[in-house]
């Protein structure tokens, strides 16, 4: 058990937050004063246990929302399993002519800066179809 546990001594609590958030533990117990401060500052953990009245066993077996938590520093970018992980999310875009006039050249420029010429050309094509009389200059390849 001792080889799975990590103890760190820090002079300042701000330093402790940095160490913990970098480590991104699956389970994190905090035994300190001002538990609301810790709750507000800590951001990378699978499940947080605040104060001596809580323990990992409680969270894993009875009080916690789940027992499927991020491991191996995955708490830096993900949280524990919850119903939202099983819900399909759909996104869509719809643009007005006015939005195209603003977004088209920017999209083409960014795409070219990223080396994504095909994306840039689709932006150019939309602009040409929607605004056939307008000369395409900003965002184009021949920019000087």
């Amino acid at each position: 058990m001792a080889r799975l546990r990590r103890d760190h001594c820090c002079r300042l609590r701000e330093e402790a937050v940095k160490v913990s958030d970098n480590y991104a533990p699956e389970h994190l117990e905090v035994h300190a004063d001002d538990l609301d401060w810790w709750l507000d500052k800590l951001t990378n953990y699978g499940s947080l246990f605040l104060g001596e009245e809580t323990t990992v066993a409680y969270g894993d077996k009875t009080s916690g929302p789940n027992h499927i938590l991020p491991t191996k520093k995955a708490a830096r970018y993900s949280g524990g399993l919850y119903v939202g992980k099983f819900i399909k999310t759909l996104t869509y875009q719809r643009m007005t002519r006015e939005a195209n006039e603003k977004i088209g050249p920017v999209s083409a420029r960014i795409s070219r800066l990223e080396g994504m010429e095909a994306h840039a050309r689709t932006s150019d094509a939309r602009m040409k179809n929607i605004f056939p009389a307008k000369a395409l200059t900003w965002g184009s390849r021949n920019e000087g």
Side-chain angles (χ1 to χ4, degrees):
M1 183 71 140
R3 68 180 176 79
L4 299 176
R5 189 171 128 188
R6 298 287 185 266
D7 294 320
H8 296 277
C9 293
C10 300
R11 290 182 183 267
L12 302 171
R13 62 187 187 172
E14 291 80 7
E15 178 187 359
V17 167
K18 287 180 185 176
V19 168
S20 178
D21 280 349
N22 181 55
Y23 187 70
E26 177 182 5
H27 301 95
L28 176 60
E29 287 192 26
V30 175
H31 299 269
D33 292 329
D34 195 6
L35 294 174
D36 288 335
W37 184 91
W38 293 93
L39 178 61
D40 183 53
K41 302 297 182 197
L42 291 163
T43 59
N44 296 341
Y45 52 82
S47 194
L48 178 60
F49 303 87
L50 294 165
E52 63 183 85
E53 297 84 11
T54 63
T55 179
V56 171
Y58 289 0
D60 283 356
K61 306 303 178 198
T62 56
S63 69
N66 66 66
H67 188 109
I68 303 169
L69 301 170
T71 59
K72 298 182 180 177
K73 298 189 179 192
R76 290 179 178 177
Y77 58 85
S78 183
L81 185 64
Y82 75 109
V83 71
K85 303 270 182 166
F86 298 98
I87 297 172
K88 181 179 177 181
T89 302
L90 300 173
T91 64
Y92 69 94
Q93 295 80 50
R94 182 180 291 171
M95 297 277 169
T96 63
R97 291 176 61 85
E98 295 79 16
N100 266 273
E101 191 170 17
K102 293 177 182 178
I103 287 179
V106 175
S107 176
R109 178 73 173 156
I110 291 170
S111 296
R112 285 195 172 91
L113 288 170
E114 293 177 343
M116 301 178 77
E117 185 59 28
H119 277 26
R121 289 181 184 194
T122 65
S123 299
D124 293 343
R126 292 295 184 281
M127 294 297 292
K128 186 176 180 181
N129 288 341
I130 296 170
F131 305 103
K134 245 183 181 177
L136 294 176
T137 54
W138 196 72
S140 70
R141 256 189 168 184
N142 301 324
E143 223 176 351

